[in-house]
Coordinates of all heavy atoms in Angstrom, one line a residue:
I244 N -17.7 -18.1 3.0 CA -17.5 -19.5 2.8 C -17.5 -19.8 1.2 O -16.8 -20.6 0.7 CB -18.6 -20.4 3.5 CG1 -18.2 -21.8 3.6 CG2 -20.0 -20.2 2.8 CD1 -17.8 -22.3 4.9
W275 N -19.9 -15.3 9.2 CA -19.3 -15.8 10.5 C -18.3 -14.8 11.1 O -17.9 -15.1 12.2 CB -18.8 -17.2 10.2 CG -19.8 -18.0 9.5 CD1 -19.8 -18.3 8.2 CD2 -21.0 -18.5 10.1 NE1 -20.9 -19.0 7.9 CE2 -21.7 -19.1 9.0 CE3 -21.6 -18.5 11.4 CZ2 -23.0 -19.7 9.2 CZ3 -22.8 -19.0 11.5 CH2 -23.5 -19.7 10.5
I283 N -23.8 -17.1 18.6 CA -23.9 -17.2 17.1 C -23.3 -18.6 16.7 O -22.2 -18.9 17.1 CB -23.2 -16.0 16.4 CG1 -22.9 -16.3 14.9 CG2 -21.9 -15.6 17.1 CD1 -24.1 -16.1 14.1
R284 N -24.1 -19.3 16.0 CA -23.8 -20.7 15.6 C -24.5 -21.0 14.3 O -25.5 -20.3 13.9 CB -24.2 -21.7 16.7 CG -25.7 -21.8 16.8 CD -26.1 -22.7 18.0 NE -27.5 -22.6 18.2 CZ -28.1 -22.9 19.3 NH1 -27.5 -23.2 20.4 NH2 -29.5 -22.9 19.4
S285 N -24.1 -22.1 13.6 CA -24.8 -22.5 12.4 C -26.1 -23.2 12.8 O -26.2 -23.6 14.0 CB -23.9 -23.6 11.7 OG -23.8 -24.7 12.5
D286 N -27.0 -23.3 11.9 CA -28.1 -24.2 12.2 C -28.1 -25.4 11.2 O -28.8 -26.3 11.4 CB -29.5 -23.5 12.2 CG -30.0 -22.9 10.9 OD1 -29.1 -22.8 10.0 OD2 -31.1 -22.6 10.8
S287 N -27.2 -25.3 10.3 CA -26.9 -26.6 9.5 C -25.8 -27.3 10.2 O -25.0 -26.7 10.9 CB -26.3 -26.2 8.1 OG -27.2 -25.5 7.3
D288 N -25.7 -28.6 9.9 CA -24.6 -29.4 10.4 C -23.4 -29.1 9.5 O -23.5 -28.8 8.4 CB -24.9 -30.9 10.3 CG -24.9 -31.3 8.8 OD1 -26.0 -31.1 8.1 OD2 -23.9 -31.7 8.3
L289 N -22.2 -29.1 10.2 CA -21.0 -28.7 9.4 C -20.5 -29.8 8.5 O -19.6 -29.6 7.7 CB -19.9 -28.3 10.4 CG -19.8 -26.8 10.6 CD1 -19.1 -26.1 9.3 CD2 -21.1 -26.1 10.8
Y290 N -21.0 -31.1 8.6 CA -20.6 -32.1 7.6 C -21.1 -31.6 6.3 O -20.4 -31.9 5.3 CB -21.2 -33.4 8.0 CG -20.5 -34.0 9.2 CD1 -21.0 -33.8 10.5 CD2 -19.3 -34.7 9.1 CE1 -20.3 -34.3 11.6 CE2 -18.6 -35.2 10.2 CZ -19.1 -35.0 11.4 OH -18.5 -35.5 12.5
T291 N -22.3 -31.0 6.2 CA -22.7 -30.5 4.9 C -22.5 -29.0 4.7 O -22.3 -28.6 3.5 CB -24.2 -30.8 4.6 OG1 -25.0 -30.2 5.6 CG2 -24.5 -32.3 4.7
F292 N -22.4 -28.3 5.8 CA -22.1 -26.8 5.6 C -20.6 -26.7 5.3 O -20.1 -25.7 4.7 CB -22.5 -26.0 6.8 CG -22.4 -24.5 6.5 CD1 -23.3 -23.9 5.7 CD2 -21.3 -23.8 7.1 CE1 -23.2 -22.5 5.5 CE2 -21.2 -22.4 6.8 CZ -22.2 -21.8 6.0
G293 N -19.8 -27.6 5.8 CA -18.3 -27.6 5.5 C -18.1 -28.0 4.1 O -19.0 -28.5 3.4
Y294 N -16.9 -27.7 3.6 CA -16.6 -28.0 2.2 C -16.5 -29.5 2.0 O -16.2 -30.3 2.9 CB -15.2 -27.4 1.8 CG -15.2 -25.9 1.9 CD1 -14.4 -25.3 2.9 CD2 -15.9 -25.1 1.0 CE1 -14.3 -23.9 3.0 CE2 -15.8 -23.7 1.2 CZ -15.0 -23.1 2.2 OH -15.0 -21.8 2.3
R295 N -16.8 -30.0 0.8 CA -16.7 -31.4 0.5 C -15.3 -31.9 0.6 O -15.0 -33.1 0.8 CB -17.3 -31.8 -0.8 CG -16.6 -31.3 -2.0 CD -17.0 -32.0 -3.3 NE -16.0 -31.6 -4.4 CZ -16.4 -30.9 -5.4 NH1 -17.6 -30.5 -5.6 NH2 -15.5 -30.5 -6.3
F296 N -14.3 -31.0 0.5 CA -12.9 -31.4 0.4 C -12.2 -31.3 1.7 O -11.0 -31.7 1.7 CB -12.2 -30.6 -0.7 CG -12.2 -29.1 -0.4 CD1 -11.4 -28.4 0.5 CD2 -13.2 -28.3 -1.1 CE1 -11.5 -27.1 0.7 CE2 -13.3 -26.9 -0.9 CZ -12.4 -26.3 0.0
K297 N -12.8 -30.8 2.7 CA -12.1 -30.7 4.0 C -12.9 -31.3 5.1 O -14.0 -30.8 5.5 CB -11.7 -29.3 4.3 CG -10.9 -29.2 5.7 CD -10.4 -27.9 5.9 CE -9.9 -27.7 7.4 NZ -8.7 -28.5 7.7
P298 N -12.5 -32.4 5.7 CA -13.3 -33.1 6.7 C -13.6 -32.2 7.9 O -12.8 -31.4 8.3 CB -12.5 -34.3 7.2 CG -11.5 -34.5 6.1 CD -11.3 -33.2 5.4
W299 N -14.9 -32.3 8.4 CA -15.3 -31.6 9.6 C -15.1 -32.6 10.7 O -15.6 -33.8 10.6 CB -16.7 -31.1 9.5 CG -17.2 -30.5 10.7 CD1 -18.0 -31.0 11.7 CD2 -16.8 -29.2 11.2 NE1 -18.1 -30.1 12.7 CE2 -17.4 -29.0 12.5 CE3 -16.0 -28.2 10.7 CZ2 -17.3 -27.8 13.2 CZ3 -15.8 -27.0 11.4 CH2 -16.5 -26.8 12.7
T300 N -14.5 -32.3 11.8 CA -14.2 -33.2 12.8 C -14.8 -32.9 14.2 O -14.7 -33.6 15.1 CB -12.7 -33.4 13.0 OG1 -12.1 -32.1 13.3 CG2 -12.0 -34.0 11.8
G301 N -15.6 -31.8 14.2 CA -16.1 -31.3 15.5 C -17.6 -31.7 15.6 O -18.1 -32.5 14.8
A302 N -18.3 -31.1 16.6 CA -19.7 -31.3 16.7 C -20.4 -30.8 15.5 O -20.0 -29.8 14.9 CB -20.2 -30.7 18.0
P303 N -21.6 -31.4 15.1 CA -22.2 -30.9 13.9 C -22.6 -29.5 13.8 O -22.4 -28.8 12.8 CB -23.5 -31.8 13.8 CG -23.2 -33.0 14.6 CD -22.2 -32.5 15.7
I304 N -23.2 -29.0 14.9 CA -23.5 -27.5 14.9 C -22.4 -26.8 15.5 O -21.8 -27.1 16.6 CB -24.8 -27.3 15.8 CG1 -26.0 -28.1 15.3 CG2 -25.1 -25.8 15.9 CD1 -26.4 -27.8 13.9
A305 N -21.9 -25.8 14.8 CA -20.6 -25.1 15.2 C -20.8 -23.6 15.4 O -21.7 -23.0 14.9 CB -19.7 -25.3 14.0
T306 N -20.0 -23.1 16.3 CA -20.0 -21.7 16.6 C -19.4 -20.9 15.4 O -18.6 -21.5 14.6 CB -19.2 -21.3 17.9 OG1 -17.9 -21.7 17.6 CG2 -19.8 -22.1 19.1
A307 N -19.6 -19.6 15.4 CA -19.0 -18.8 14.3 C -17.5 -18.9 14.4 O -16.8 -19.0 13.4 CB -19.4 -17.3 14.5
A308 N -16.9 -19.0 15.7 CA -15.5 -19.0 15.8 C -14.9 -20.4 15.3 O -13.9 -20.4 14.6 CB -15.1 -18.9 17.3
E309 N -15.7 -21.4 15.5 CA -15.2 -22.7 14.9 C -15.3 -22.8 13.4 O -14.4 -23.3 12.8 CB -16.1 -23.9 15.5 CG -15.9 -24.1 17.0 CD -16.9 -25.0 17.7 OE1 -18.1 -25.0 17.2 OE2 -16.7 -25.5 18.8
I310 N -16.3 -22.1 12.9 CA -16.4 -22.1 11.4 C -15.2 -21.3 10.8 O -14.6 -21.6 9.8 CB -17.8 -21.5 10.9 CG1 -18.9 -22.5 11.4 CG2 -17.8 -21.4 9.4 CD1 -20.3 -21.9 11.2
R311 N -14.9 -20.2 11.5 CA -13.8 -19.3 11.0 C -12.5 -20.1 11.1 O -11.6 -20.0 10.3 CB -13.8 -18.0 11.7 CG -14.9 -17.0 11.2 CD -14.6 -15.6 11.6 NE -13.5 -15.1 10.9 CZ -12.4 -14.6 11.4 NH1 -12.2 -14.5 12.7 NH2 -11.4 -14.1 10.6
K312 N -12.3 -20.8 12.2 CA -11.1 -21.6 12.4 C -10.9 -22.6 11.2 O -9.8 -22.7 10.6 CB -11.1 -22.3 13.7 CG -9.9 -23.2 14.0 CD -9.9 -23.7 15.5 CE -8.8 -24.6 15.8 NZ -8.9 -25.9 15.1
Y313 N -12.0 -23.3 10.9 CA -12.0 -24.2 9.8 C -11.7 -23.5 8.5 O -10.8 -24.0 7.7 CB -13.4 -24.9 9.8 CG -13.8 -25.8 8.6 CD1 -13.4 -27.1 8.6 CD2 -14.5 -25.3 7.5 CE1 -13.8 -28.0 7.6 CE2 -14.8 -26.1 6.4 CZ -14.5 -27.4 6.5 OH -14.9 -28.3 5.5
M314 N -12.3 -22.4 8.2 CA -12.0 -21.7 7.0 C -10.5 -21.2 7.0 O -9.9 -21.2 5.9 CB -12.9 -20.4 6.8 CG -14.4 -20.8 6.6 SD -15.4 -19.4 6.5 CE -14.8 -18.6 5.0
V317 N -8.4 -23.9 5.8 CA -8.5 -24.1 4.4 C -7.5 -23.1 3.7 O -6.8 -23.4 2.7 CB -9.9 -23.9 3.9 CG1 -10.0 -23.8 2.3 CG2 -10.8 -25.0 4.4
N447 N -26.4 -32.4 19.9 CA -25.4 -31.9 19.0 C -24.2 -32.8 18.8 O -23.1 -32.5 19.2 CB -24.9 -30.5 19.4 CG -24.1 -29.8 18.4 OD1 -24.0 -30.3 17.3 ND2 -23.3 -28.8 18.8
D448 N -24.6 -34.0 18.3 CA -23.5 -34.9 18.0 C -24.0 -35.8 16.8 O -25.2 -35.6 16.4 CB -23.0 -35.8 19.1 CG -24.2 -36.6 19.7 OD1 -25.2 -36.8 19.0 OD2 -24.0 -37.2 20.8
N449 N -23.2 -36.6 16.2 CA -23.6 -37.4 15.1 C -23.1 -38.8 15.5 O -21.9 -39.1 15.5 CB -23.0 -37.0 13.8 CG -23.5 -37.8 12.7 OD1 -23.2 -38.9 12.5 ND2 -24.4 -37.1 11.9
A452 N -20.9 -40.7 13.0 CA -19.5 -40.2 12.9 C -18.8 -40.7 14.2 O -17.6 -41.1 14.0 CB -19.5 -38.7 12.9
R456 N -15.5 -43.1 14.1 CA -14.3 -42.7 14.7 C -13.8 -43.8 15.6 O -12.6 -44.0 15.7 CB -14.5 -41.4 15.5 CG -14.4 -40.2 14.6 CD -14.2 -38.8 15.2 NE -14.5 -38.0 14.0 CZ -15.5 -37.2 13.8 NH1 -16.5 -37.2 14.8 NH2 -15.7 -36.5 12.8
I465 N -15.0 -40.6 6.9 CA -16.1 -40.3 7.8 C -16.9 -39.1 7.2 O -18.1 -39.1 7.2 CB -15.6 -39.9 9.2 CG1 -14.9 -41.2 9.8 CG2 -16.7 -39.5 10.1 CD1 -14.3 -41.0 11.2
H466 N -16.2 -38.1 6.8 CA -16.8 -36.9 6.2 C -17.7 -37.2 5.1 O -18.9 -36.8 5.1 CB -15.7 -35.9 5.7 CG -16.1 -34.5 5.4 ND1 -16.7 -33.7 6.3 CD2 -16.1 -33.8 4.2 CE1 -17.0 -32.5 5.7 NE2 -16.7 -32.6 4.5
E467 N -17.3 -38.0 4.2 CA -18.1 -38.4 3.0 C -19.3 -39.3 3.4 O -20.4 -39.0 2.9 CB -17.2 -39.1 2.0 CG -17.9 -39.5 0.7 CD -18.4 -38.3 -0.1 OE1 -17.9 -37.2 0.1 OE2 -19.4 -38.5 -0.8
V469 N -20.8 -39.6 6.4 CA -21.7 -38.8 7.2 C -22.5 -37.8 6.4 O -23.7 -37.6 6.5 CB -21.0 -38.2 8.4 CG1 -22.0 -37.3 9.2 CG2 -20.5 -39.3 9.3
R470 N -21.8 -37.2 5.4 CA -22.5 -36.2 4.5 C -23.6 -37.0 3.8 O -24.8 -36.5 3.7 CB -21.5 -35.7 3.5 CG -20.8 -34.5 3.8 CD -19.6 -34.3 2.9 NE -20.0 -33.7 1.6 CZ -20.1 -32.4 1.3 NH1 -19.9 -31.5 2.3 NH2 -20.4 -32.0 0.1
I473 N -26.5 -37.8 6.1 CA -27.3 -36.6 6.5 C -28.2 -36.2 5.3 O -29.4 -35.9 5.4 CB -26.4 -35.5 6.9 CG1 -25.8 -35.8 8.3 CG2 -27.2 -34.1 7.0 CD1 -24.7 -34.9 8.8
L474 N -27.6 -36.1 4.1 CA -28.3 -35.7 2.9 C -29.4 -36.7 2.5 O -30.5 -36.2 2.1 CB -27.3 -35.5 1.7 CG -26.4 -34.3 2.0 CD1 -25.2 -34.3 1.0 CD2 -27.1 -33.0 1.8
Q477 N -32.1 -35.9 5.0 CA -32.7 -34.6 4.7 C -33.6 -34.6 3.5 O -34.7 -34.0 3.4 CB -31.7 -33.5 4.5 CG -31.0 -33.0 5.8 CD -29.9 -32.0 5.6 OE1 -29.6 -31.7 4.4 NE2 -29.4 -31.5 6.6
R523 N -37.4 -21.6 6.5 CA -36.4 -22.5 7.0 C -36.8 -23.1 8.3 O -37.3 -22.5 9.2 CB -35.1 -21.6 7.2 CG -33.8 -22.3 6.7 CD -32.7 -21.4 6.8 NE -31.5 -22.2 7.1 CZ -30.7 -22.7 6.2 NH1 -31.0 -22.6 4.9 NH2 -29.7 -23.4 6.5
F526 N -33.1 -25.5 13.6 CA -32.6 -26.6 14.5 C -32.2 -26.0 15.8 O -31.5 -25.0 15.9 CB -31.4 -27.3 13.8 CG -30.9 -28.5 14.6 CD1 -31.7 -29.6 14.8 CD2 -29.7 -28.4 15.2 CE1 -31.3 -30.7 15.6 CE2 -29.2 -29.5 16.0 CZ -30.0 -30.6 16.2
S621 N -27.6 -27.1 3.1 CA -26.5 -26.2 3.4 C -26.0 -25.5 2.2 O -25.9 -26.1 1.1 CB -25.3 -27.0 4.0 OG -25.6 -27.4 5.3
W622 N -25.8 -24.2 2.4 CA -25.3 -23.3 1.3 C -24.1 -23.8 0.6 O -24.0 -23.8 -0.6 CB -25.0 -22.0 2.0 CG -24.6 -20.8 1.2 CD1 -23.4 -20.6 0.7 CD2 -25.5 -19.8 0.7 NE1 -23.4 -19.4 -0.1 CE2 -24.7 -18.9 0.0 CE3 -26.9 -19.5 0.9 CZ2 -25.2 -17.7 -0.6 CZ3 -27.4 -18.3 0.3 CH2 -26.6 -17.5 -0.4
T623 N -23.2 -24.4 1.4 CA -21.9 -24.8 0.8 C -22.0 -25.9 -0.2 O -21.1 -26.1 -1.1 CB -20.9 -25.1 1.9 OG1 -21.1 -24.2 3.0 CG2 -19.5 -25.0 1.5
L624 N -23.0 -26.7 -0.1 CA -23.2 -27.8 -1.0 C -23.2 -27.2 -2.4 O -22.7 -27.8 -3.4 CB -24.5 -28.6 -0.8 CG -24.6 -29.4 0.5 CD1 -26.1 -29.7 0.8 CD2 -23.7 -30.6 0.5
D627 N -19.8 -25.4 -3.6 CA -18.8 -26.4 -4.1 C -19.2 -26.8 -5.5 O -18.3 -26.8 -6.4 CB -18.8 -27.7 -3.3 CG -17.8 -27.6 -2.1 OD1 -16.9 -26.8 -2.1 OD2 -18.0 -28.4 -1.1

Side-chain angles (χ1 to χ4, degrees):
I244 197 104
W275 309 104
I283 166 80
R284 67 188 176 201
S285 66
D286 65 345
S287 298
D288 71 276
L289 259 289
Y290 288 92
T291 61
F292 190 76
Y294 300 109
R295 70 163 187 247
F296 55 83
K297 180 171 166 70
W299 178 257
T300 56
I304 301 300
T306 63
E309 288 164 341
I310 297 173
R311 285 198 69 237
K312 178 169 176 289
Y313 172 86
M314 290 177 66
V317 170
N447 188 15
D448 62 14
N449 185 291
R456 277 193 192 108
I465 298 178
H466 192 62
E467 184 58 28
V469 173
R470 271 164 80 85
I473 290 171
L474 290 166
Q477 282 178 358
R523 224 175 147 86
F526 181 67
S621 286
W622 184 276
T623 319
L624 293 165
D627 271 339

